[in-house]
Amino acid sequence: MSLTIDENGTIYIYQGDSGEIVISGLNPLKNYKVYFAVKNSNRETIGNEISVNSNYKTSVTFYLSGEFTDLLTVPKSDDYAQYYYGIKLCDGETIEDTLFIANSDYGQLNYIIVYPKIVEGNDE
């Protein structure tokens, strides 16, 4: 997997590659539904939101498939493309919170830096 996350929560990935994002520090007394979404610079959602249940655990893992990251295109004239992501925690009752990643301040965006696909590959 080629997905990397730095200390500021910025995700780096090649278009079409897969990877996992782990969100930790959840309250094990709750069964949260946790959502992950990616947006472009026009605030348009790319693909569908991904959701997972915490099942009373302290962390969840989002799997970004190659099919999903293939939607994160890089213009031929650019070395990379910048997208934004968000994570929301819901408990089905009263909590609906957007999570801050790493040292993010309120209103600061979480970035995904996508590099162009280098090799297509074929899993047949």
Side-chain angles (χ1 to χ4, degrees), residues 90-124:
C90 301
D91 74 352
E93 297 170 10
T94 58
I95 294 176
E96 190 167 324
D97 286 334
T98 298
L99 301 181
F100 294 104
I101 307 303
N103 298 320
S104 297
D105 293 323
Y106 198 86
Q108 185 175 344
L109 297 173
N110 300 308
Y111 299 106
I112 296 183
I113 306 299
V114 181
Y115 294 97
K117 187 183 293 189
I118 295 174
V119 60
E120 185 65 44
N122 187 349
D123 61 355
E124 293 181 7

Side-chain angles (χ1 to χ4, degrees), residues 56-114:
Y56 302 96
K57 295 186 179 178
T58 59
S59 66
V60 296
T61 302
F62 290 103
Y63 176 73
L64 303 185
S65 69
E67 182 179 90
F68 180 82
T69 68
D70 209 30
L71 300 173
L72 306 175
T73 59
V74 181
K76 291 185 188 275
S77 60
D78 295 339
D79 293 333
Y80 63 89
Q82 182 173 281
Y83 291 86
Y84 310 94
Y85 72 94
I87 298 170
K88 185 166 262 192
L89 185 71
C90 301
D91 74 352
E93 297 170 10
T94 58
I95 294 176
E96 190 167 324
D97 286 334
T98 298
L99 301 181
F100 294 104
I101 307 303
N103 298 320
S104 297
D105 293 323
Y106 198 86
Q108 185 175 344
L109 297 173
N110 300 308
Y111 299 106
I112 296 183
I113 306 299
V114 181

Side-chain angles (χ1 to χ4, degrees), residues 16-81:
D17 281 5
S18 60
E20 293 180 347
I21 300 167
V22 178
I23 306 301
S24 305
L26 304 178
N27 181 346
L29 301 177
K30 296 272 191 176
N31 184 21
Y32 296 108
K33 188 155 192 176
V34 188
Y35 296 88
F36 176 88
V38 176
K39 300 215 178 235
N40 64 20
S41 60
N42 296 322
R43 296 183 183 168
E44 299 166 328
T45 302
I46 305 299
N48 294 318
E49 286 189 358
I50 301 169
S51 67
V52 294
N53 290 318
S54 69
N55 295 319
Y56 302 96
K57 295 186 179 178
T58 59
S59 66
V60 296
T61 302
F62 290 103
Y63 176 73
L64 303 185
S65 69
E67 182 179 90
F68 180 82
T69 68
D70 209 30
L71 300 173
L72 306 175
T73 59
V74 181
K76 291 185 188 275
S77 60
D78 295 339
D79 293 333
Y80 63 89

